[in-house]
Amino acid sequence: MRKLENKVAVVTGGNSGIGLATAILFAENGAKVAITGCDQRTLDIAVKEIGNDAIGIISDVSDIKNIEAQFRKVTDSFGKIDVLVVNAGVYIAGTVADFTEEQFDQATDINFKGVFFTVQKALPYLNNGASVVLTSSSVSNMGVAGVSVYSATKAAVYSLAKAFSSELADRNIRVNILSPGPVETPIMKRDGATEEQLEAIRAFAGGTTLIGRMAQPEEIAEGFLYLASDDSKYMLGGELLLDGGMRIK
Ligand code: NAD
């Protein structure tokens, strides 16, 4: 059975990694999918890959002015929105001793402020009964060295999901988070790692899990489908943890 037949779904950062795998799975399940991202070339490639008349919208979540326009474009094309996956994010690592103010602002503007205003600007365009899923991370409540700011932005997102659920319950809008562990996506390559360094990252990151490997984006997309669909209709303000046992290792 197709779980999102004729539903309208928006996936921010849907031109890469976890977001792209999710957009593809949603389209296979019958959704009309709109993806957003910062890069026109990868958006165009992704839209073709997703199929089912998907659309791509250029939009930077750290520039709040254009977020509302992005939702207006979606509803002009497809009608009001049933599923919103707030997935766009950046991974910026650095210790408390070394992290710069510029890095701090970039991480928080995209991963925290961008998430808050994406949901706020979506509100007039969401159908009652919609499902909103925010992307957090397994590290959000761990103490992993070198990722304090990233982890804090992802903890903030969980906090938002709980309060948003309370505020939006009268519209039957559910807000939940999905927390992936290490997933093999282009996020690993964004600071120019060589193939040798990538292999070392894979081995290290896989070793932080009980299962002994990184996840593939498609394994995480299955979780987004669960949270987006009526399969999770009794879940509000909750966390779906897909981390290969990282938190309990
Ligand atoms: P990715 O780099 O492949 O994808 C990130 C997406 O976010 C891209 O589509 C990018 O265009 C978009 N994006 C980044 N900055 C943006 C901005 N300012 N405006 C609009 N879009 C922007 O990485 P991914 O691994 O697929 O990450 C997706 C989400 O999952 C992120 O929120 C990330 O923090 C989270 N996550 C990833 C992992 C992992 O190990 N890969 C683990 C836990 C959580």
Side-chain angles (χ1 to χ4, degrees), residues 14 18 22 80-81 84 93 108 149 180 193 221:
I18 295 169
T22 300
K80 284 179 96 173
I81 299 161
L84 171 62
T108 53
V149 175

Side-chain angles (χ1 to χ4, degrees), residues 199-218:
E199 203 40 62
I201 294 171
R202 277 185 205 105
F204 172 77
T208 64
T209 67
L210 275 182
I211 203 168
R213 63 171 176 84
M214 298 182 79
Q216 292 304 308
E218 294 73 20

Side-chain angles (χ1 to χ4, degrees), residues 39-61:
D39 177 52
Q40 191 65 55
R41 195 184 64 84
T42 49
L43 272 174
D44 292 343
I45 296 168
V47 157
K48 285 203 186 104
E49 214 177 324
I50 297 161
N52 203 27
D53 297 324
I55 57 170
I57 300 167
I58 198 102
S59 179
D60 179 347
V61 294

Side-chain angles (χ1 to χ4, degrees), residues 118-137:
T118 296
V119 176
Q120 184 193 72
K121 300 301 180 196
L123 290 178
Y125 303 96
L126 288 176
N127 275 320
N128 289 348
S131 172
V132 176
V133 190
L134 313 181
T135 308
S136 183
S137 168

Side-chain angles (χ1 to χ4, degrees), residues 17 27 37-38 40 72 77 92 106 113 160 182 206 208 214 216 235:
C38 301
Q40 191 65 55
R72 216 175 309 120
S77 300
I92 303 173
Q106 194 192 356
K113 189 175 169 188
L160 293 181
T208 64
M214 298 182 79
Q216 292 304 308
M235 185 165 172

